[in-house]
């Protein structure tokens, strides 16, 4: 996802952190470096080379002990050396990049996230037991997150997340192309003053062209979820509560860019503010309320697949603007390379905040699909989404959410993927 398309910068890696780049990137997805400020190749200006390491005089490997299949193990603490800041190296296993992978901007060498449909989920180890490496299945994972046996970095917690509560389930996955998961979600359940239940689902998608998009999405999801959990039990109308939740989420994201002094601002002049999109739903008392800013979506899929499904949100995007203004039809707009450039987002550098909210009263039971574009890119139309949602989604929301994530992974997994499923049950004929 990007905020505005720009001509190609001609770079293959970020000049600040060496992260691989795509031709149309305006900012580095790892460190947020402004690529539009870099002189184009062939303009006659110098392009300094960034040193990424210095030679180390490694000592000779000790003689192999008799009968031992390999030489004695060397630990970094036994070797001389300093890090890139001139500090003495700490003891512990060195990070080893798996074959075919490159280092991320924060120094990790992440493993591909497991397919959520086939991954073996071991029972949680007791607190006293050391975690076992997911790569070699033999080494102990040290406190720094690396295997003491093979040196592989372990998958980060946000690479794949799942949560299920009564009436709602959500799954978020890093996908197959991104080096980190910049999506976040918050699902919860509460009660209204009359005792009736209310179910909340919030999904946020970090803007990759902004700096710290993962922090932005996490802050927005947490703030919106907390705001709804505080407002709904007080009797606030769900649609008003959703509006207030989006405003609270925007304030939380804005705060990530505050407190920067003049000197620090000058040093980071090529960075832009953290940003994300947000979409959410509240299901309670026969009412379905949705709210959003950006291009994450909510779909309605009835249990009776003979009834028509529907998309309940309208994207804040270039393509949607072209269609609504009558300048292009939908097929033409979404075929354009600028289609997914968003025109609304949460962040200190956004335009005036305009939260969208809408309320519906479905007349039949179904399931509410709250998702990022990492999923709907592979099932864009309401009919397409209805075809991939399992028929028993209302009864098995977590299994169905995993299935939808799997569909996006099978399609290429080009983006982070997050989906929340909220069953909607009608016990009597509605309006």
């Amino acid at each position: 996802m990007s905020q505005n398309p720009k001509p190609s910068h001609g770079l293959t890696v970020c000049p600040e952190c060496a992260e691989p780049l795509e031709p149309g990137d305006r900012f580095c997805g790892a460190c947020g470096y402004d690529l539009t400020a870099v002189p184009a190749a062939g303009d006659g200006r110098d392009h300094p080379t960034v040193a990424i390491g210095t030679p180390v005089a490694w000592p000779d490997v000790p003689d192999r002990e008799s009968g031992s299949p390999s030489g004695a193990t060397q630990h970094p603490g036994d070797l001389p050396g300093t890090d890139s800041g001139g500090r003495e190296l700490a003891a512990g296993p060195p990070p080893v990049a798996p074959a075919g992978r490159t280092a991320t901007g924060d120094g990790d060498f992440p493993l591909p996230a497991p397919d959520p449909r086939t991954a073996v989920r071991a029972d949680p180890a007791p607190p006293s037991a050391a975690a076992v490496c997911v790569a070699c299945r033999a080494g102990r994972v040290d406190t720094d997150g690396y295997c003491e046996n093979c040196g592989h970095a372990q998958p980060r917690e946000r690479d794949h997340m799942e949560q299920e509560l009564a009436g709602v389930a959500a799954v978020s996955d890093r996908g197959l192309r991104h080096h980190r998961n910049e999506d976040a979600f918050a699902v919860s359940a509460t009660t209204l003053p009359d005792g009736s239940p209310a179910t909340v689902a919030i999904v946020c998608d970090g803007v990759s062209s902004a700096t710290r998009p993962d922090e932005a999405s996490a802050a927005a999801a947490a703030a919106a979820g907390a705001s709804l959990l505080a407002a709904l039990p007080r009797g606030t109308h769900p649609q008003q509560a959703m509006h207030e939740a989006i405003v609270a989420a925007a304030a939380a994201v804005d705060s990530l860019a505050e407190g920067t002094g003049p000197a620090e601002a000058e040093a980071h002049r090529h960075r832009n503010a953290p940003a994300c999109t947000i979409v959410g739903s509240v299901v309670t008392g026969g009412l379905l309320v949705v709210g959003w800013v950006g291009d994450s979506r909510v779909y309605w899929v009835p249990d009776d697949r003979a009834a028509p499904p529907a998309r309940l949100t309208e994207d804040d995007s270039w393509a949607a603007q072209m269609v609504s203004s009558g300048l292009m039809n939908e097929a033409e707009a979404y075929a354009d390379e600028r289609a997914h450039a968003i025109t609304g987002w949460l962040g200190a550098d956004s335009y005036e905040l305009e939260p969208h909210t809408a309320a519906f009263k479905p007349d039949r039971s179904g399931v509410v699909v709250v998702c990022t574009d990492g999923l709907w890119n592979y099932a864009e139309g309401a009919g397409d989404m209805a075809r991939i949602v399992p028929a028993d989604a209302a009864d098995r929301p977590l299994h169905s959410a995993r299935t939808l994530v799997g569909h996006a992974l099978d399609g290429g997994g080009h983006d982070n993927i997050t989906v929340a499923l909220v069953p909607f049950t009608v016990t009597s004929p509605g309006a």
Side-chain angles (χ1 to χ4, degrees):
M1 177 190 307
S2 63
Q3 289 162 303
N4 281 304
K6 288 285 184 180
S8 174
H9 43 67
L11 299 176
T12 58
V13 298
C14 174
E16 181 164 301
C17 69
E19 176 72 10
L21 301 171
E22 296 294 334
D25 288 346
R26 290 183 65 240
F27 296 90
C28 174
C31 69
Y33 191 85
D34 185 355
L35 302 171
T36 62
V38 179
D43 61 4
R45 285 176 277 185
D46 291 336
H47 298 266
T49 301
V50 180
I52 60 172
T54 55
V56 177
W58 299 104
D60 295 334
V61 178
D63 295 335
R64 187 174 65 183
E65 297 179 6
S66 176
S68 173
S70 62
T73 301
Q74 289 288 134
H75 295 283
D78 302 329
L79 307 174
T82 59
D83 63 16
S84 59
R87 297 177 292 273
E88 187 173 337
L89 287 172
V96 177
R101 301 287 293 177
T102 57
T104 66
D106 53 13
D108 285 343
F109 297 98
L111 296 174
D115 188 321
R117 299 160 297 169
T118 60
V120 177
R121 291 176 171 80
D123 293 333
S128 59
V132 177
C133 174
V134 299
C136 68
R137 296 291 182 182
R140 183 176 69 87
V141 178
D142 205 349
T143 54
D144 62 359
Y146 291 89
C147 174
E148 288 188 339
N149 179 55
C150 67
H152 277 86
Q154 304 304 292
R156 288 164 290 193
E157 181 182 1
R158 284 185 66 171
D159 282 356
H160 185 85
M161 302 178 291
E162 297 183 357
Q163 188 175 358
E164 183 177 34
L165 302 173
V168 61
V171 176
S172 181
D173 193 86
R174 193 185 80 197
L176 304 177
R177 301 295 182 89
H178 281 231
H179 74 282
R180 66 182 172 188
N181 190 356
E182 297 167 357
D183 288 357
F185 66 80
V187 294
S188 54
T190 186
T191 55
L192 303 184
D194 62 1
S196 59
T199 305
V200 172
I202 300 292
V203 168
C204 297
D205 184 355
V207 176
S208 295
S209 58
T211 188
R212 294 152 57 202
D214 53 332
E215 295 181 33
S217 62
S227 178
L228 285 165
L229 286 181
L232 293 172
R234 291 198 306 261
T236 305
H237 189 281
Q239 192 167 357
Q240 178 63 28
M242 178 62 75
H243 179 96
E244 294 172 357
I246 295 175
V247 172
V253 178
D254 289 352
S255 69
L256 297 177
E258 294 175 356
T260 303
E264 188 176 352
E266 175 63 20
H268 295 81
R269 62 187 182 279
H270 294 314
R271 298 176 185 273
N272 58 352
C276 69
T277 68
I278 185 170
V279 66
S281 72
V282 175
V283 171
T284 182
L287 185 68
L288 166 58
V289 170
V290 299
W292 74 97
V293 172
D295 64 348
S296 293
R297 295 179 175 181
V298 178
Y299 292 85
W300 163 254
V301 178
D303 290 344
D304 177 9
R305 298 305 166 85
R311 173 155 65 95
L312 306 182
T313 58
E314 185 68 29
D315 297 345
D316 289 319
S317 70
W318 181 91
Q321 264 192 354
M322 293 298 102
V323 174
S324 63
S325 64
L327 296 176
M328 289 184 176
N329 62 40
E330 191 166 351
E332 293 171 337
Y334 280 96
D336 193 283
E337 63 179 8
R338 297 164 292 181
H340 292 285
I342 58 175
T343 57
W345 61 88
L346 307 184
D349 63 349
S350 67
Y351 305 119
E352 184 177 354
L353 179 65
E354 296 182 7
H356 311 290
T357 62
F360 304 89
K361 286 188 175 181
D363 61 354
R364 65 199 68 203
S365 297
V367 64
V368 183
V369 181
V370 187
C371 64
T372 62
D373 60 347
L375 172 61
W376 68 251
N377 274 331
Y378 300 99
E380 189 168 331
D384 300 326
M385 184 63 70
R387 279 189 288 274
I388 67 171
V389 172
D392 59 352
D395 298 321
R396 304 174 66 193
L398 180 58
H399 165 78
S400 300
R402 291 171 178 165
T403 300
L404 294 177
V405 169
H407 174 81
L409 292 174
D410 289 343
H414 288 75
D415 200 354
N416 305 143
I417 310 152
T418 301
V419 57
L421 293 182
V422 187
F424 186 101
T425 304
V426 174
T427 55
S428 59

